[in-house]
Each structure stands twice: as structure tokens, then as C-alpha cells.
Amino acid sequence: MAAQPRPPAASGPAGQSVLPALLSKPYPVVMGVLNVTPDSFSDGGQFAAPERALARARRMIAEGADIIDIGAESTRPYGSEPVSAEDELKRLQPVLSDVVALGIPVSIDSMKSAVVAWALDQGAAIVNDVWGLQRDSGMAGLVAERGAPVIIMHNRERADPAVDIMQDIAAFFARSLDIAAKAGISSDNIVLDPGIGFGKTPEQSMTALARLGELQSLGLPMLVGASRKRFISTVTPSEPHQRLGGSIAAHLLAAQNGARIIRAHDVAETVQALRVATAIREQG
């Protein structure tokens, strides 16, 4: 039986979004990845069982995660199978409300408005849409109605080496922001994500990281999730679980170039790296 809905957690007692409090921290916010899927590229199947998923969430919070990002459909760009909203909900129902009860903001990683609506009813606070409001026509209206912060991620159906990836990202964000404005989503509730590894060659992913600062002209906070991504293995051959060093390097450069939220699998190591880098810069 599904858990009974809880009051939406997207707004606090004063009706304020959770986003300003998160972004007010002196160091980049860390979003811990919790995949309750059988086929995610890095940890598929490890946390599909509810008790293991909850234990994983507790551990990430103890390690310093500021947000838990929970997803029930693999959105890896290579070889993932589409999942119905019904199957997504079946995976989320045994665990989401218990993760919310742990007391830190939870984001729902889904491109389906029906799944997002249910998750917000259970207390999820943030919407993480890997298709940037452009895949499900009901998503923008739902986000606006609920007043939830939304992460708008750049995506493409397939990688094209001939594309100027920074122009493509800028054009995609322009379309998404137009959709958001027409739906009534406040710009104060929008975070942009360049979508490292999504519809990009490894070189394009590295270009997006190297030129991340160009996106600051949009005036919105940025999230980067380079954790364990395939581009790292093109520099030093490695499997996903062997890419901690590359992930840390990418995330430190992303933070230096303006990223305010870092999405990571390896929370303790990422928190330590970001906080030490911040402390060193403060001595300068």
C-alpha cells in the first residue's frame, strides 16, 4: 500500500523555497545520488531493495550530503530502457517517504509529471528533470503550481561531434526558460545543469566543464554532475567505480567555474574536497 501523502516540502513555514537556504552555504552544496533502479550505469541494482536504499541515504547524510536525489528510472545515455510511470512509482513507493523523513531536502529525479506529482505529495522538495521541461508537457505547469525548485538539465537524443555544444546548451536553456516563464515558474526556483555525459561526446562533456563559466551570464545557479561519467575513462581508462579521482577533479573545476550544486555518488570524498578547496581559497 502506498504511503499517505505528506504536506509538500518544497516550501518552508514562511512559504519560501528550500533553494535559498541551500545556496547560502559558503561552499558548494552536495547532492547525493540514490538510484533505486536495476540498471543505472554506476550502481545499478545495489540500492533497489528499500532497506538498502534507506541505509544508503542515511550514510550519505552522515557523510555531509545536503540533498538526496532519488531516481527510479535509469537515465544513463547508453543502453537504458524506458520505464513506465507505474513501474517508477512501484520502485519509489517503499522508500521515498522514509528518505524524506530523514530530514534533509529530497529531489525527485524523473522526467514524468505523474511521478513528480506523487513524489511532491510525499514530501520531495526539488524536481530534477533531465529533459529540462521539454519532454513532458505537464511538467512545467506542475512545477509552477507547487512552487517547487526545478533543475533544468540540457539533453540531446544523441551525441553529434559536429555540434557546437555550448551554443546547443544555450539554445536548449533558452527554450526551457521560455517554457518555465510561460508556465509561471519563478526564476528564483530554477537551477541549470549542463548535462555532463548526456547527448555529448566525451570531448563535448569536457568542453562544457571547461567553459561552464560562460553560462553564468544567464544569472541562475548551476548544478554539475560529472560523477563517474564516461568521459573520465577516455582520459584514463577506468570502470565507473574507479573514477573517483576524475570525478573530484571535474567537480573542483566546476565549482571554481561557478557550480553551486555538485551531484555525486561519492559523498564523503566530494564534501571533503569541496570544503578543503573553499578553505584554501579563503586564505588567499
Side-chain angles (χ1 to χ4, degrees), residues 113-128:
S113 59
V115 174
V116 169
W118 177 86
L120 293 174
D121 285 344
Q122 306 309 309
I126 301 168
V127 179
N128 185 5

Side-chain angles (χ1 to χ4, degrees), residues 21 61 67 76 85 94 97 113 121 170 197 229 232 236 272 277:
I61 292 170
I67 307 167
R76 62 193 174 123
S97 60
S113 59
D121 285 344
K229 292 291 176 72
I232 296 169
T236 57
Q272 185 181 79

Side-chain angles (χ1 to χ4, degrees), residues 10-11 17 120 124-127 142-150 185 189-190:
S11 298
S17 160
L120 293 174
I126 301 168
V127 179
L142 172 69
V143 170
E145 177 188 352
R146 301 299 187 92
V150 61
I185 298 172
N189 263 344
I190 297 175

Side-chain angles (χ1 to χ4, degrees), residues 26-50:
Y27 40 78
V29 170
V30 173
M31 171 185 280
V33 179
L34 180 60
N35 292 315
V36 290
T37 60
D39 59 346
S40 290
F41 84 98
S42 176
D43 54 12
Q46 289 188 44
F47 308 111

Side-chain angles (χ1 to χ4, degrees), residues 1 195 214:
M1 180 181 294
E214 295 175 21

Side-chain angles (χ1 to χ4, degrees), residues 252 271-282:
L252 287 177
V271 167
Q272 185 181 79
L274 291 169
R275 294 189 186 181
V276 168
T278 298
I280 291 170
R281 281 196 298 272
E282 288 175 347

